Coordinates of all heavy atoms in Angstrom, one line a residue:
E589 N 14.2 4.0 31.5 CA 14.0 3.0 30.4 C 14.2 1.6 31.0 O 13.4 0.7 30.7 CB 15.1 3.2 29.3 CG 14.7 4.3 28.4 CD 15.9 4.9 27.6 OE1 16.9 4.1 27.4 OE2 15.8 6.1 27.2
T590 N 15.2 1.5 31.9 CA 15.4 0.2 32.5 C 14.2 -0.3 33.3 O 13.7 -1.4 33.3 CB 16.6 0.2 33.5 OG1 17.7 0.7 32.7 CG2 16.9 -1.1 34.1
L591 N 13.6 0.7 34.1 CA 12.4 0.4 34.9 C 11.3 0.0 34.0 O 10.6 -1.0 34.3 CB 12.1 1.6 35.7 CG 10.7 1.6 36.5 CD1 10.8 0.4 37.5 CD2 10.4 2.9 37.2
Y592 N 11.1 0.7 32.9 CA 10.0 0.4 32.0 C 10.2 -1.0 31.4 O 9.2 -1.8 31.4 CB 10.1 1.4 30.8 CG 9.1 1.1 29.7 CD1 7.7 1.6 29.8 CD2 9.5 0.4 28.6 CE1 6.8 1.3 28.8 CE2 8.5 0.1 27.6 CZ 7.2 0.5 27.7 OH 6.3 0.2 26.7
N593 N 11.4 -1.4 31.0 CA 11.6 -2.7 30.5 C 11.5 -3.8 31.6 O 11.0 -4.9 31.3 CB 13.0 -2.8 29.9 CG 13.0 -2.1 28.6 OD1 12.0 -2.0 27.8 ND2 14.1 -1.4 28.3
Y594 N 11.9 -3.4 32.8 CA 11.8 -4.4 33.9 C 10.3 -4.7 34.1 O 10.0 -5.9 34.2 CB 12.4 -3.7 35.2 CG 12.2 -4.4 36.5 CD1 13.0 -5.4 36.9 CD2 11.1 -4.0 37.3 CE1 12.8 -6.0 38.2 CE2 10.9 -4.7 38.5 CZ 11.7 -5.6 39.0 OH 11.5 -6.2 40.2
L595 N 9.5 -3.7 34.2 CA 8.1 -3.9 34.5 C 7.5 -4.7 33.3 O 6.7 -5.7 33.6 CB 7.4 -2.6 34.6 CG 7.7 -1.8 35.8 CD1 7.1 -0.4 35.7 CD2 7.3 -2.5 37.1
K596 N 7.8 -4.4 32.1 CA 7.3 -5.1 31.0 C 7.6 -6.6 31.0 O 6.8 -7.5 30.9 CB 7.9 -4.5 29.7 CG 7.3 -5.0 28.4 CD 7.9 -4.3 27.2 CE 9.2 -4.9 26.9 NZ 10.0 -4.3 25.8
H597 N 8.9 -6.9 31.4 CA 9.3 -8.3 31.4 C 8.7 -9.0 32.6 O 8.3 -10.2 32.5 CB 10.9 -8.4 31.5 CG 11.5 -7.9 30.2 ND1 11.1 -8.3 28.9 CD2 12.6 -7.1 29.9 CE1 11.8 -7.8 28.0 NE2 12.7 -7.1 28.6
M598 N 8.7 -8.4 33.7 CA 8.1 -9.0 34.9 C 6.6 -9.4 34.7 O 6.2 -10.4 35.1 CB 8.3 -8.2 36.2 CG 9.7 -8.2 36.7 SD 10.4 -9.7 37.1 CE 9.7 -10.1 38.7
E599 N 5.9 -8.5 34.0 CA 4.5 -8.7 33.8 C 4.3 -9.9 32.9 O 3.3 -10.6 33.0 CB 3.9 -7.5 33.0 CG 3.7 -6.3 33.9 CD 2.9 -6.4 35.2 OE1 1.9 -7.1 35.1 OE2 3.4 -6.0 36.2
S600 N 5.3 -10.2 32.0 CA 5.1 -11.4 31.2 C 6.0 -12.6 31.7 O 6.4 -13.5 31.0 CB 5.4 -11.1 29.8 OG 6.6 -10.4 29.6
F601 N 6.4 -12.5 33.0 CA 7.1 -13.6 33.7 C 8.5 -13.8 33.1 O 9.1 -14.9 33.3 CB 6.3 -14.9 33.7 CG 5.0 -14.9 34.4 CD1 4.0 -14.0 34.0 CD2 4.8 -15.8 35.4 CE1 2.8 -14.0 34.7 CE2 3.5 -15.8 36.1 CZ 2.6 -14.9 35.7
K602 N 9.1 -12.8 32.4 CA 10.4 -13.0 31.8 C 11.4 -12.5 32.9 O 12.0 -11.5 32.7 CB 10.5 -12.3 30.5 CG 9.7 -12.9 29.4 CD 9.8 -12.2 28.1 CE 9.0 -12.9 27.1 NZ 8.5 -12.0 26.1
I603 N 11.6 -13.3 33.9 CA 12.4 -12.9 35.1 C 13.8 -12.6 34.6 O 14.5 -11.7 35.0 CB 12.3 -13.9 36.2 CG1 10.8 -14.1 36.6 CG2 13.1 -13.4 37.5 CD1 10.5 -15.2 37.6
D604 N 14.3 -13.6 33.8 CA 15.8 -13.4 33.4 C 16.0 -12.1 32.6 O 17.0 -11.5 32.7 CB 16.2 -14.6 32.6 CG 15.5 -14.7 31.2 OD1 14.2 -14.8 31.2 OD2 16.1 -14.6 30.2

Side-chain angles (χ1 to χ4, degrees):
E589 281 159 24
T590 303
L591 173 62
Y592 174 84
N593 288 322
Y594 169 89
L595 294 170
K596 188 180 78 186
H597 292 316
M598 286 303 281
E599 290 304 314
S600 49
F601 297 61
K602 291 182 177 148
I603 305 174
D604 68 299

